[in-house]
Amino acid sequence: MSIHYFDTTKTFHLTARNTSYLFQVVKEGYLAHLYWGKKIKEYNHSNELRFVDRAFSGNTVARDRSFSLDTLPQEYPSFGHTDYRNPAFQVELENGSTVTDLRYVSHQITKGKPKLDGLPATYVEDIEEAETLEVVLKDRLTNLTVILIYTVFENFNAITRSVRFENNGTDNLRLLKASSANVDFRESDFDLISLPGAWGRERYVSRTALRDGIQSVGSRRGASSHQHNPFMALVSKETNENYGDVFAFNFVYSGNFLSAVEVDQFGYSRATIGINPFDFSWLLEPKEVFQTPEVVMVYSGSGLTEMSHTFHELYRTRLCRGEFRDKVRPILINNWEATYFNFNEQKIEQIAKCGKDLGMELFVLDDGWFGKRDDDTTSLGDWIVNQNKIPNGLNALAQNICDMNMEFGLWFEPEMISVNSNLYKEHPDWCIHVPNRRRSESRQQLILDFSRKDVCDEIIKRISSILKSAPITYVKWDMNRHMTEVGSASLPPERQRETAHRYMIGLYRVMEEITTKFPHILFESCSGGGGRFDPGILHYMPQTWTSDNTDAISRLKIQYGTSYVYPTISMGAHVSAVPNHQVHRNTSLEVRGHVAMSGNFGYELDVTELNQEEQEKISEQVSYYKEIRPVIQFGHFYRLLNPFAGNETAWMNVSPNKEDAVFMYVKVLAEPNEPYRKLRLKGLDPEKKYHVVELDKTYYGDELMQVGINIPAMDGDFTSIMWRFKAE
Ligand code: DGJ
């Protein structure tokens, strides 16, 4: 059992493998947070709540001057009575007031984990894997019922939270804010880790000390975004990869989000995570229900590596789905950086054929195959093959590629519409827009209004008909702009601010239907690279194009930051041409290979133009990756040297049975008179003897992890090594 309720003290104790989470029903039915952290055997209120009269903290119970919500650590704080801190939710009543008062009514503990209707979420395969607690709270004045849902994944050591709002009253209610989780820590001596970025440099690691007041990360762009990832961790000052407390939150959502922390007057810190309340509201009519997306909460008592391992295991096996979840992924060759829009059937077949000869397994036809798309100004929405470029049709092209014994994949951008398209001529109101305002373009395109059922249905139809028309086994699902002038022609004025969230619900339905209809297709998501690398999308598509920036040196930081939360198998990583198209840097094929082989591997360059030496090198890389692929894609990932801290990066993957490991090291710039570097490895079996294939030397795991291994001196900039370790 992982959820216990103690009736005498009305205390809930949730226990996962290494975690305890505690809260209690206190005076008047308020829910007070007690503890989240390392697992304890038994809780006897050593940190019992203390009540004292505090000036300017008003009292909830008449004449009880010691009881104020302003000083109470809470589970799901409401707005307007006596708590002045950041509320977890806010509701507007018909009379215009925005005050609510939630009190405990009942609770229920069940085995397993119920599905979140229409929303992506972690799941169980066996009912015994998890337990779920639903705590029912009520605002007596309005009959608003708020159900806090907690699921404990015992063995994965994770807790998920979400909230369901039910309007059981007779008046309309309007949700102004509806967070999915709130934790009130009775301390604030934390650093805040987040993963901010931009196009081409996604998920850089940021770590700053908490300060008084509110600090937050979030998106108002209609997508989780390149700029901020829906991840936040509070860590103790001394926390590093191997040591220290970590309290991590990851929001399973792909739209506007807000993760905020408020440090209050008594040094408590309140973490609140959910849909961004900015420009959000949701009309909840009597009998209607609003379900928030879920937050995955991970505690680690031994640093960031353990946090990442927990996310990786949970996401790889209980968030991602489908027949590719547990399969090694194909090595692909994508024509984007090879040709951009400038290709024809013959060129595509040549690239595919060369790729095949070099050992690659999947050819991906990127943007430009449809409508009149010869550049990015036109045709999104017209999902009909471009006869000028592909005169024999998609089926014939795909068939020819399959006949080479190569799989065939295709690019789509299903959520978009070009103004210059037949779809826009037929349905100018199908895009997100507000009446009489400019429709701002971005990459000369608008966004289809996926909050509308008719729009979603038509797109499902169009995409499905292409997918049925040819032997397609892979889809790259792109999304290349953020929302502006957010509104929907199909919603009444009082529901306009629901558009952004309704869009996400529509998108999730489209993704669910298409991925279910085509279970044999491997889907990779993309948003101008990694602009929507979030657990929401991973639920439908088990891999993501990590960044449009394919430069090996830039990728060190991008892949390192991404690894905080997302498993290696989910990270698309390709070798591209030099000078690199994004940063114009020249690096060796070797370092490009080593960095890309640390992820879900592929190529993105004109392989028809390689010289003999390059062909040989690439063919070697492809066979090398085929050998290490299971370890890279299903192994445990260890960060060894941090690219944000210095000139070197190192990481390794170790197979779950510790029989195999792959180690990668990159030195960015050459240094004069360099010191000798040795590095201690991680994750090996101390008792096992490992053969280091590239060095033809053998060491016990304990020596490699305790003493370390010498890194050879390497001349020049951008140098790297990759070594395989095999237990004897
Ligand atoms: C952005 C993607 O990230 C690229 O890989 C490529 O597919 C282009 N879009 C195509 O327009």
Side-chain angles (χ1 to χ4, degrees):
M1 277 223 326
S2 33
I3 299 177
H4 312 263
Y5 177 67
F6 300 92
D7 203 20
T8 40
T9 55
K10 297 194 170 63
T11 302
F12 295 92
H13 189 171
L14 282 52
T15 57
R17 187 163 37 84
N18 290 323
T19 306
S20 280
Y21 186 98
L22 282 137
F23 61 97
Q24 184 180 16
V25 185
V26 296
K27 275 183 203 173
E28 304 291 321
Y30 290 107
L31 276 196
H33 180 76
L34 297 174
Y35 173 77
W36 178 28
K38 200 177 177 73
K39 187 171 185 170
I40 54 165
K41 278 194 286 295
E42 190 177 285
Y43 177 69
N44 288 306
H45 299 262
S46 57
N47 68 343
E48 192 171 25
L49 292 161
R50 286 181 278 186
F51 300 97
V52 62
D53 180 5
R54 300 275 194 190
F56 287 86
S57 291
N59 309 120
T60 313
V61 184
R63 282 175 298 282
D64 183 352
R65 291 184 54 156
S66 65
F67 190 70
S68 174
L69 297 177
D70 201 28
T71 56
L72 186 71
Q74 292 176 73
E75 271 306 289
Y76 199 68
S78 24
F79 170 75
H81 274 292
T82 53
D83 192 349
Y84 298 97
R85 294 168 293 175
N86 198 17
F89 76 104
Q90 195 182 12
V91 174
E92 188 180 319
L93 279 59
E94 276 186 3
N95 65 10
S97 75
T98 52
V99 177
T100 45
D101 192 17
L102 290 186
R103 313 288 182 99
Y104 170 87
V105 176
S106 62
H107 71 269
Q108 195 190 0
I109 298 169
T110 49
K111 282 190 172 175
K113 181 173 193 280
K115 285 197 167 140
L116 294 191
D117 234 8
L119 289 169
T122 52
Y123 59 89
V124 289
E125 286 212 320
D126 176 338
I127 199 166
E128 301 294 337
E129 279 175 6
E131 256 178 37
T132 297
L133 164 68
E134 298 199 351
V135 183
V136 180
L137 309 171
K138 196 168 177 173
D139 177 55
R140 287 185 200 135
L141 184 67
T142 55
N143 261 330
L144 168 71
T145 305
V146 175
I147 299 153
L148 308 185
I149 307 166
Y150 302 77
T151 295
V152 182
F153 283 91
E154 163 75 29
N155 284 330
F156 288 97
N157 199 33
I159 296 175
T160 64
R161 283 184 67 176
S162 72
V163 179
R164 192 163 69 242
F165 292 85
E166 294 177 0
N167 184 353
N168 293 318
T170 48
D171 285 0
N172 284 343
L173 297 172
R174 181 183 289 279
L175 294 174
L176 301 176
K177 181 176 186 180
S179 303
S180 297
N182 181 93
V183 178
D184 279 3
F185 297 88
R186 276 189 246 178
E187 59 200 310
S188 55
D189 200 17
F190 291 127
D191 284 345
L192 171 79
I193 297 182
S194 61
L195 299 172
W199 174 87
R201 49 183 166 83
E202 298 92 337
R203 290 169 300 287
Y204 276 20
V205 178
S206 151
R207 180 168 178 164
T208 52
L210 282 189
R211 53 169 176 74
D212 287 338
I214 295 187
Q215 44 248 278
S216 67
V217 292
S219 167
R220 290 186 294 260
R221 294 171 167 268
S224 49
S225 85
H226 308 81
Q227 287 73 12
H228 289 288
N229 197 262
F231 163 81
M232 162 174 94
L234 294 176
V235 303
S236 44
K237 295 288 172 190
E238 66 279 12
T239 292
N240 60 25
E241 285 292 340
N242 315 310
Y243 179 81
D245 282 330
V246 180
F247 303 91
F249 303 88
N250 194 208
F251 193 32
V252 187
Y253 190 59
S254 316
N256 296 335
F257 73 94
L258 186 69
S259 306
V261 187
E262 178 169 11
V263 177
D264 76 5
Q265 55 183 332
F266 300 111
Y268 288 5
S269 47
R270 169 172 290 177
T272 315
I273 299 92
I275 292 175
N276 198 328
F278 180 82
D279 202 38
F280 164 85
S281 89
W282 194 275
L283 185 62
L284 205 60
E285 293 179 4
K287 310 249 171 334
E288 281 186 347
V289 170
F290 182 86
Q291 170 65 53
T292 73
E294 85 176 12
V295 172
V296 176
M297 299 187 359
V298 170
Y299 166 75
S300 157
S302 41
L304 295 163
T305 302
E306 186 187 307
M307 170 201 76
S308 299
H309 286 178
T310 303
F311 278 122
H312 293 179
E313 275 310 289
L314 184 70
Y315 286 2
R316 202 175 56 68
T317 62
R318 295 294 181 273
L319 175 72
C320 294
R321 298 173 300 167
E323 68 179 52
F324 293 93
R325 188 188 79 175
D326 303 322
K327 278 194 187 157
V328 291
R329 309 290 163 76
I331 300 174
L332 66 81
I333 165 82
N334 176 306
N335 74 306
W336 178 242
E337 288 197 18
T339 64
Y340 295 102
F341 294 103
N342 185 18
F343 60 83
N344 56 28
E345 218 168 66
Q346 203 188 359
K347 180 72 188 172
I348 292 304
E349 288 181 4
Q350 282 166 356
I351 295 178
K353 171 79 177 56
C354 266
K356 174 68 202 170
D357 292 344
L358 295 168
M360 297 164 201
E361 299 158 324
L362 161 71
F363 171 80
V364 180
L365 178 55
D366 211 281
D367 197 354
W369 60 266
F370 54 93
K372 302 194 182 96
R373 189 130 164 123
D374 293 326
D375 56 31
D376 59 15
T377 63
T378 168
S379 300
L380 292 168
D382 297 344
W383 299 112
I384 294 160
V385 76
N386 180 334
Q387 296 283 351
N388 291 336
K389 288 183 186 172
I390 310 175
N392 295 311
L394 209 55
N395 185 36
L397 175 65
Q399 207 55 66
N400 288 346
I401 290 176
C402 291
D403 291 346
M404 298 171 193
N405 219 354
M406 185 83 162
E407 293 184 54
F408 180 74
L410 197 59
W411 178 97
F412 285 97
E413 197 174 357
E415 299 156 68
M416 296 292 149
I417 180 164
S418 303
V419 172
N420 186 4
S421 68
N422 292 332
L423 185 63
Y424 193 75
K425 274 186 210 115
E426 288 158 29
H427 299 287
D429 61 334
W430 271 19
C431 62
I432 287 193
H433 69 282
V434 296
N436 308 320
R437 293 268 175 208
R438 179 186 66 227
R439 300 174 180 192
S440 299
E441 293 178 22
S442 183
R443 210 194 189 205
Q444 301 211 27
Q445 62 198 52
L446 300 171
I447 304 184
L448 280 169
D449 183 358
F450 270 30
S451 75
R452 292 173 63 147
K453 186 170 179 307
D454 52 353
V455 174
C456 291
D457 288 344
E458 180 60 26
I459 292 302
I460 292 172
K461 207 168 94 196
R462 289 185 182 209
I463 303 290
S464 303
S465 110
I466 291 281
L467 294 181
K468 272 190 242 150
S469 73
I472 295 165
T473 55
Y474 165 102
V475 162
K476 178 176 174 186
W477 183 300
D478 206 348
M479 193 282 273
N480 282 305
R481 65 158 290 178
H482 290 150
M483 291 181 187
T484 55
E485 297 94 26
V486 182
S488 170
S490 72
L491 290 173
E494 66 277 14
R495 289 196 181 271
Q496 284 297 317
R497 279 185 290 158
E498 297 174 13
T499 308
H501 182 57
R502 284 187 184 274
Y503 177 93
M504 295 318 308
I505 293 173
L507 172 66
Y508 291 143
R509 177 171 79 86
V510 174
M511 288 188 166
E512 178 75 31
E513 288 206 12
I514 292 183
T515 53
T516 311
K517 230 172 165 176
F518 298 95
H520 308 312
I521 293 182
L522 169 63
F523 287 84
E524 174 158 346
S525 75
C526 171
S527 172
R532 227 170 31 183
F533 206 139
D534 62 59
I537 299 289
L538 277 182
H539 184 62
Y540 305 95
M541 309 194 167
Q543 57 190 62
T544 301
W545 180 222
T546 311
S547 177
D548 272 350
N549 188 344
T550 51
D551 171 65
I553 302 305
S554 305
R555 277 295 188 116
L556 295 171
K557 287 182 177 162
I558 297 169
Q559 292 176 204
Y560 190 93
T562 305
S563 80
Y564 267 50
V565 191
Y566 306 103
T568 312
I569 193 170
S570 65
M571 274 190 238
H574 302 169
V575 170
S576 61
V578 287
N580 173 268
H581 293 193
Q582 293 77 38
V583 297
H584 311 286
R585 192 176 355 243
N586 278 301
T587 53
S588 67
L589 200 44
E590 176 145 286
V591 68
R592 280 178 276 154
H594 289 162
V595 177
M597 282 194 274
S598 303
N600 192 327
F601 189 48
Y603 288 83
E604 187 145 345
L605 75 174
D606 192 346
V607 277
T608 63
E609 299 208 329
L610 300 171
N611 62 32
Q612 185 67 26
E613 197 189 332
E614 290 167 328
Q615 281 177 24
E616 278 163 20
K617 183 78 196 163
I618 287 187
S619 161
E620 266 169 41
Q621 286 177 343
V622 170
S623 340
Y624 189 92
Y625 189 73
K626 284 180 184 166
E627 189 199 316
I628 64 172
R629 174 161 53 182
V631 188
I632 296 285
Q633 299 192 352
F634 300 105
H636 298 148
F637 183 76
Y638 293 86
R639 292 175 290 267
L640 302 178
L641 288 175
N642 178 354
F644 297 95
N647 193 30
E648 299 160 293
T649 304
W651 53 51
M652 61 189 291
N653 294 67
V654 183
S655 65
N657 62 9
K658 297 182 190 284
E659 290 283 312
D660 292 279
V662 179
F663 163 79
M664 191 223 63
Y665 167 90
V666 174
K667 187 179 66 187
V668 176
L669 294 178
E671 294 283 337
N673 197 15
E674 272 180 352
Y676 283 133
R677 156 72 81 185
K678 69 139 178 123
L679 211 56
R680 292 167 63 177
L681 305 189
K682 288 185 182 171
L684 301 172
D685 183 340
E687 305 298 327
K688 285 194 162 95
K689 211 168 189 183
Y690 292 92
H691 179 229
V692 193
V693 179
E694 284 71 13
L695 303 179
D696 195 20
K697 291 208 169 129
T698 305
Y699 309 96
Y700 273 105
D702 65 346
E703 183 177 347
L704 292 166
M705 293 193 292
Q706 298 309 320
V707 181
I709 187 162
N710 281 338
I711 302 296
M714 295 185 289
D715 292 333
D717 295 338
F718 318 131
T719 46
S720 63
I721 49 179
M722 191 168 240
W723 290 337
R724 286 161 294 176
F725 292 74
K726 290 179 183 296
E728 290 195 324

